[in-house]
Amino acid sequence: MSQKIRGVKGTRDVLPIDTYVKDEDPWVRVGHYQLIEQTARELFPLYGYREARTPILERTELFVRGIGEVTDIVGKEMYTFDDRGESVTMRPENTASLVRAYIEHNVNQQEPETKWWYLGPMFRRERQQRGRYRQFTQIGVEAFGNPGPRIDAEQIEMLERWLRMLGMPFSMHLNTLGDANCRPRYREALQEYLRAHADDLCEECRKRTETNPIRVLDCKNPKCQEVVAGAPRMQEFLCDACKAHFAAVQEALQRLGVAFVIDPKLVRGLDYYTRTAYEAIATSGLGAQSTLAGGGRYDGLVKELGGPDIPGIGFAAGVERMALLIAQQGRERVTRPVVFIAPLGEAEAARADQLAQQLRAAGIAAEVSFRKANPANQLKRADALGARFALVLGDAEMKADRGKLKEMKTGAQHEVSLSALAGEVKKLEGSG
């Protein structure tokens, strides 16, 4: 027998049947993903967001300039390769890609404000952990053209509503990262403090102190956290404009009834963020990898990537982590057959195919058995599929053009006309 080929490390299959990664994880099915995705598809347009799609492959320069050369993503985690003399990368996130598309297609000349949402796979060569994979799915939004603060609050409120609709246990964390006017002073003060405590930092944070000191605030190492507890805070260095913006965001959130906590250690992992930063953090069910979604304002990114000076704000949510929580709740989006048809012979099978075609044309999900089995086993199959009704089709039913539609939950049987089966099923659905 040929040797089996296994999936690539750090990736996973999501199937209609049960799959799991580790024993402590719940079974995750594609229906869990679809519930998350469909809820976004229905909610985000209510806020004016339209779907946008960009390629998985982008020029490497886009992420080096957009995300930041000294970030972990660019420095360690990107899947980059040479494509006949051109360096290309499988996107590790989608904000830079959408900004590139926004600039390339001169969207700002067509509309003063733009709201997009997206869904798709991203790729980072990270160490696999619970809820973190090397290929992962993100759902996110981007809003271009409005400097805030009301758009900031609206976007955070939309994220909160989405997660509440899905029954996610979470708290909303909020911070400000200042801007180009005030952050350099904070960076300098933080760097000075961290250098004075270098002996108490992990090796990675000692490097970050010189290259990207703000990222030290996000380190999970307990010793680093002790050092960070006494570090200067961004709010102490904010310019008047950033103070006013942050205060206005908080006031708008309070008006909208969104609960939040101020989190000075919330910095996000990408260099492009300015002013508002926020994260929805799971309060149970995920362990260490607990951030469900995060985002913030990136007012200089469009200009940095060659476009006009257009402000922007967005967030991205990790679908894999959300799916774990959905699975724990036992919720999913599944289309189950309304009618399961079990033909008992060749002539009955041909008629069953026609009946199923008529049902589907009427918008009724139908499943036809292709297996030769006795009626009892056929009904077991109907039950396993979650069908609402089962119809066993034999010679007597064919001759009479009538059959008995069995309700799988109650066992009740309804005599129906085969020639008018779709209408009969709809009547029974309406009465149920």
Side-chain angles (χ1 to χ4, degrees):
M1 181 183 291
S2 299
Q3 187 176 4
K4 293 181 181 179
I5 299 175
R6 297 178 61 85
V8 175
K9 182 179 179 181
T11 65
R12 71 171 303 175
D13 301 308
V14 185
L15 307 175
I17 59 174
D18 290 336
T19 59
Y20 70 98
V21 178
K22 295 181 180 178
D23 290 341
E24 67 268 22
D25 282 339
W27 299 101
V28 175
R29 297 182 290 270
V30 73
H32 300 126
Y33 282 60
Q34 289 175 340
L35 177 60
I36 295 164
E37 294 163 3
Q38 187 60 32
T39 307
R41 287 186 183 279
E42 292 171 357
L43 177 67
F44 293 175
L46 301 182
Y47 289 74
Y49 287 87
R50 298 165 293 166
E51 186 178 4
R53 304 186 185 191
T54 57
I56 287 173
L57 285 179
E58 296 276 8
R59 290 182 171 86
T60 303
E61 181 187 10
L62 173 67
F63 302 114
V64 173
R65 287 172 55 187
I67 298 174
E69 191 167 4
V70 297
T71 58
D72 288 347
I73 293 175
V74 172
K76 302 176 181 178
E77 298 169 358
M78 293 201 311
Y79 285 95
T80 297
F81 59 93
D82 179 79
D83 181 21
R84 298 182 181 181
E86 182 176 33
S87 180
V88 296
T89 295
M90 298 171 71
R91 63 185 183 198
E93 58 96 52
N94 210 30
T95 296
S97 296
L98 284 168
V99 170
R100 189 267 309 150
Y102 179 85
I103 296 167
E104 184 173 342
H105 300 287
N106 299 309
V107 178
N108 68 296
Q109 296 178 16
Q110 302 174 47
E111 50 191 30
E113 295 183 11
T114 297
K115 289 179 174 179
W116 287 340
W117 76 272
Y118 61 86
L119 160 67
M122 312 295 158
F123 305 84
R124 298 181 194 175
R125 199 182 190 284
E126 297 182 291
R127 183 170 62 88
Q128 181 176 332
Q129 300 178 54
R130 188 164 183 257
R132 173 181 281 183
Y133 307 99
R134 293 178 177 179
Q135 177 176 325
F136 55 98
T137 307
Q138 283 190 342
I139 295 176
V141 304
E142 312 293 349
F144 301 102
N146 193 308
R150 286 171 49 222
I151 186 70
D152 304 29
E154 180 190 81
Q155 197 172 92
I156 295 170
E157 188 270 333
M158 184 179 76
L159 173 59
E160 190 219 33
R161 183 179 298 272
W162 181 38
L163 297 180
R164 297 285 181 215
M165 290 171 69
L166 292 168
M168 300 280 115
F170 73 98
S171 63
M172 191 70 72
H173 289 228
L174 184 68
N175 194 22
T176 179
L177 303 178
D179 62 12
N181 294 320
C182 53
R183 189 154 56 179
R185 287 195 308 115
Y186 173 63
R187 188 182 189 280
E188 186 178 322
L190 178 61
Q191 202 168 39
E192 184 178 339
Y193 171 84
L194 294 174
R195 284 169 178 163
H197 294 80
D199 292 343
D200 298 319
L201 296 174
C202 69
E203 182 179 354
E204 188 66 29
C205 282
R206 284 196 289 271
K207 294 177 183 176
R208 287 172 173 166
T209 296
E210 303 305 320
T211 59
N212 195 2
I214 291 176
R215 291 293 293 133
V216 177
L217 303 179
D218 197 35
C219 181
K220 301 301 187 287
N221 184 298
K223 289 190 68 177
C224 295
Q225 285 294 301
E226 290 178 14
V227 173
V228 166
R233 297 193 172 190
M234 182 69 234
Q235 291 187 46
E236 300 166 6
F237 293 82
L238 291 176
C239 61
D240 290 341
C242 285
K243 283 181 182 177
H245 185 275
F246 193 45
V249 171
Q250 294 176 66
E251 290 170 5
L253 288 173
Q254 289 164 355
R255 285 196 305 271
L256 295 172
V258 177
F260 60 90
V261 294
I262 303 298
D263 185 353
K265 293 188 294 182
L266 195 167
V267 296
R268 305 295 297 146
L270 310 175
D271 280 358
Y272 53 60
Y273 284 114
T274 59
R275 291 191 172 177
T276 306
Y278 59 95
E279 287 185 351
I281 299 177
T283 52
S284 64
L286 288 182
Q289 298 299 323
S290 58
T291 301
L292 295 172
R297 183 161 282 285
Y298 46 85
D299 289 345
L301 183 59
V302 177
K303 186 176 182 180
E304 173 66 26
L305 293 177
D309 192 6
I310 300 289
I313 184 170
F315 72 74
V319 175
E320 280 73 14
R321 294 180 191 177
M322 295 173 70
L324 286 173
L325 294 179
I326 290 289
Q328 289 171 21
Q329 299 172 20
R331 300 172 62 201
E332 62 182 311
R333 186 176 186 272
V334 180
T335 300
R336 303 191 187 280
V338 176
V339 180
F340 179 88
I341 307 175
L344 299 183
E346 294 298 327
E348 291 89 343
R351 182 70 192 279
D353 292 342
Q354 293 175 327
L355 291 173
Q357 182 187 41
Q358 292 163 14
L359 289 169
R360 293 164 184 155
I364 299 169
E367 180 82 11
V368 181
S369 175
F370 295 103
R371 301 172 63 192
K372 292 182 179 179
N374 62 48
N377 287 335
Q378 298 277 30
L379 291 176
K380 286 181 181 178
R381 176 62 177 160
D383 190 51
L385 290 172
R388 181 172 176 184
F389 302 104
L391 174 66
V392 176
L393 196 59
D395 182 62
E397 287 78 15
M398 291 276 287
K399 288 178 178 177
D401 194 38
R402 299 188 71 79
K404 289 185 178 179
L405 208 57
K406 180 178 180 179
E407 292 195 38
M408 297 305 298
K409 282 188 177 180
T410 67
Q413 299 196 62
H414 308 274
E415 188 170 322
V416 295
S417 164
L418 299 184
S419 297
L421 184 59
E424 301 262 25
V425 171
K426 287 193 172 184
K427 285 179 186 177
L428 289 170
E429 282 189 298
S431 64

